[in-house]
Amino acid sequence: ATQLISRVRKSFALELPLRSIFEAPTVAGLAGRIEQAMQSDRGVERPPLLPVPRTGPLPLSFAQQRLWFIDQLQPGTATYTMPTFLRLEGPLDVESLRRALVELVHRHEALRTTIIQRDGQPLQHIAPDAGLPLELVELSQLSPEAAQAELRRQLREEMLRPFDLARGPLVRAGLWRLGPATHVLALNMHHIVSDGWSMGVLVREVAALYEAFAQGRPSPLPPLPLQYADYAVWQRQWLQGAVLDEQLGWWRQQLSGLSPLELPTDKPRPPVQTFRGAQVPIALSPATSERLKELCHREGATPFMALLAAWQVLLSRYSGQQDISVGSPIAGRHLGELEGLIGFFVNTLVMRARVEPGASFHHLLRQVKETALGAYAHQDVPFERLVEELQPTRDLSRGPLFQVFFALQNTPMPTVRDGGLALYPVEVKDSAVAKFELQLVLSESQEGFLGTLGYNTDLFESVTAERMAEHFRMLVEALVSRPDAALASLPLLTQAERQQVLVDWNATASEYPRASTLPEVFAQVVARFPNKVAVEFGDSTLTYRQLDERANQLAHHLRGLGVSTDSRVAIALERSLELIVSL
């Protein structure tokens, strides 16, 4: 183990492909791969990530620049807010909490950053220091039920409050007191200075700072050797020339000929993409989750790959398309120096799959695995740069390159216990924002894979989202139970839906004159309602009399051609009035 650690440290100057971990999953095998990488010159050397002077202009990272551009197009929206809500159980020293938040802002430059313009170009402006006001809202005088209702209302309001990127601040804090030893802390940041990983860093550091300050000790956190602005400068210096060309080349080939996903929506698509949304819960049972992990173990894949493949199968079944692209996040912190920073490092990868109805899930999973490993190996190209390079057809009604999102969260919000005080994440499930048409977000728990299906409410009704969540659950159960079966043969419908479709909707039996032939019954209707409309097509109609007359004319014509009783006549017509006449 010591030798392996030494080799790993020495190999950090080389790019050891992630594929090596999958192809050599044992310690000995991985050590051999590291040795091979050290003995070859094929590794891609990155320049060192070093602090830069704060005397000159500081550029935005590629990801920041895209969010800034979106904010210029749609100012005053809460689409890219990142709220975190924590329940604090136990005696709370509010003043120590205030000090902890102020120290956090002092420690991370990203939390003191605003976006300014100079000569038309956006730049990072880092304030020399900034506080973080903590407003205390008293709800303890209300009944428990009323306090919870009011808390949920105010937390939803906080989620929808926009940020001003130029004026700042881009982080807010609030504290709600529900009782003597029960509080809820809200920390809300704009995505341009934070990401999901950052939230975990934030909670751990606030807890450590609070514990120290409450006990009269100084900050226990070591100084940060780097800040987010250093990364932004490094990224722009490194991602150019041959490095950028090689990575872009892979993506050009991977995404060539990409077409948008055309899902059947409940409402007409707005001409300009909207971001109003809601979400429904989704859960895979512990048994299904275990079978899925066992399948992944046999295939040398990860649960992310299997769940992504299942999601792409569902999208294929809904859309009728075989070429399915899904966006998925990646932490973007492959350098160890970045793990402890708060900032916007996350990147979005486009995962494309060819879902062939006659192929098995085994076949699709292997394809998705290869695609994912290739995407990880070329993850450094920012999604924003990829859009700029590929220049997909501009369509304001949908996002570029993909419209549907999938994430398997592996950076859960930590639960922290600090002496008598415990911090628990609080979920506010009724989010009113949808960044994508559909967004499936799952995480692993002892109860199986759990999460939410977010949807754009200007495209889908809640019942559709609920049905889709159930179909995903049914599909995953079928995929892990019969991974060798053809994808098109696997069921989506729940038992209740099967009963509805096969039995309830087919309960169409009614009384009719069984002794009469169909022409005789039709003749009776014609005699009773000659002038009523019998059939409509577009703007054209036929009454029962007209339909009867035209059918008789066709019948006489067919008899003139030799058609008689029990003759077979083929009808090949598009949907039309003539089709009904002929039938």
Side-chain angles (χ1 to χ4, degrees), residues 56 95 112 186 275 289 293 311 456 483 575:
E95 186 56 34
R112 295 184 268 123
F275 300 97
S289 300
K293 288 188 286 186
W311 181 227
N456 186 305
R575 185 184 295 258

Side-chain angles (χ1 to χ4, degrees), residues 232-492:
V233 172
W234 173 88
Q235 183 193 48
R236 288 187 174 271
Q237 291 176 344
W238 179 60
L239 271 178
Q240 56 183 325
V243 173
L244 182 60
D245 290 341
E246 188 277 330
Q247 296 227 0
L248 282 174
W250 186 88
W251 283 109
R252 285 192 204 98
Q253 181 179 6
Q254 177 67 17
L255 302 181
S256 175
L258 197 66
S259 57
L261 184 65
E262 298 290 353
L263 290 169
T265 59
D266 297 315
K267 307 172 186 178
R269 182 179 297 275
V272 177
Q273 184 180 6
T274 63
F275 300 97
R276 287 180 287 270
Q279 54 192 30
V280 297
I282 190 167
L284 302 180
S285 69
T288 298
S289 300
E290 283 302 315
R291 287 200 298 270
L292 182 135
K293 288 188 286 186
E294 291 169 2
L295 174 63
C296 291
H297 181 72
R298 294 193 302 269
E299 291 294 320
T302 65
F304 166 83
M305 297 170 183
L307 292 167
L308 170 62
W311 181 227
Q312 290 173 314
V313 172
L314 184 72
L315 295 173
S316 177
R317 296 279 287 271
Y318 264 74
S319 66
Q321 297 169 257
Q322 296 183 17
D323 188 357
I324 306 295
S325 293
V326 172
S328 188
I330 192 165
R333 299 184 188 235
H334 43 277
L335 299 178
E337 302 95 316
L338 306 177
E339 292 185 1
L341 289 182
I342 290 177
F344 185 19
F345 297 95
V346 67
N347 193 16
T348 303
L349 305 179
V350 183
M351 302 293 191
R352 186 180 188 181
R354 184 77 176 176
V355 182
E356 301 173 5
S360 69
F361 188 59
H362 274 141
H363 178 271
L364 178 63
L365 181 55
R366 292 169 192 139
Q367 179 195 152
V368 171
K369 173 184 172 181
E370 287 299 310
T371 298
L373 292 177
Y376 297 153
H378 300 85
Q379 63 174 283
D380 294 306
V381 177
F383 178 76
E384 301 71 29
R385 186 68 179 83
L386 193 59
V387 174
E388 179 183 338
E389 175 68 23
L390 297 180
Q391 296 185 351
T393 302
R394 185 173 176 81
D395 184 352
L396 295 180
S397 69
R398 65 185 83 216
L401 301 185
F402 69 90
Q403 293 81 53
V404 174
F405 193 76
F406 172 72
L408 179 61
Q409 301 285 14
N410 58 2
T411 56
M413 194 64 63
T415 296
V416 180
R417 291 186 176 274
D418 172 25
L421 184 66
L423 285 69
Y424 303 98
V426 175
E427 293 284 346
V428 179
K429 295 186 179 300
D430 49 346
S431 172
V433 175
K435 297 184 180 70
F436 310 98
E437 295 180 17
L438 293 171
Q439 175 173 310
L440 177 61
V441 179
L442 299 173
S443 60
E444 188 176 356
S445 71
Q446 293 182 348
E447 291 77 33
F449 290 100
L450 309 176
T452 58
L453 175 61
Y455 60 98
N456 186 305
T457 53
D458 289 326
L459 295 176
F460 301 100
E461 300 286 358
S462 59
V463 291
T464 300
E466 292 168 0
R467 185 165 58 247
M468 189 176 291
E470 276 297 287
H471 289 170
F472 180 75
R473 181 184 64 81
M474 292 293 297
L475 182 62
V476 174
E477 289 181 2
L479 290 171
V480 298
S481 300
R482 300 167 53 200
D484 293 317
L487 295 175
S489 69
L490 298 174
L492 291 182

Side-chain angles (χ1 to χ4, degrees), residues 90-154:
L92 177 66
D93 182 345
V94 176
E95 186 56 34
S96 294
L97 179 59
R98 283 197 175 97
R99 287 185 59 198
L101 295 174
V102 170
E103 175 61 23
L104 183 80
V105 174
H106 175 75
R107 176 176 170 80
H108 292 275
E109 285 184 355
L111 302 182
R112 295 184 268 123
T113 297
T114 51
I115 312 301
I116 63 172
Q117 290 191 64
R118 185 176 300 170
D119 299 327
Q121 293 298 315
L123 298 171
Q124 294 190 58
H125 173 71
I126 303 171
D129 210 344
L132 182 57
L134 180 66
E135 179 185 0
L136 177 60
V137 180
E138 187 65 66
L139 297 178
S140 58
Q141 75 278 10
L142 302 177
S143 68
E145 295 78 12
Q148 288 295 331
E150 181 62 17
L151 174 67
R152 287 194 296 270
R153 186 188 70 80
Q154 294 192 28

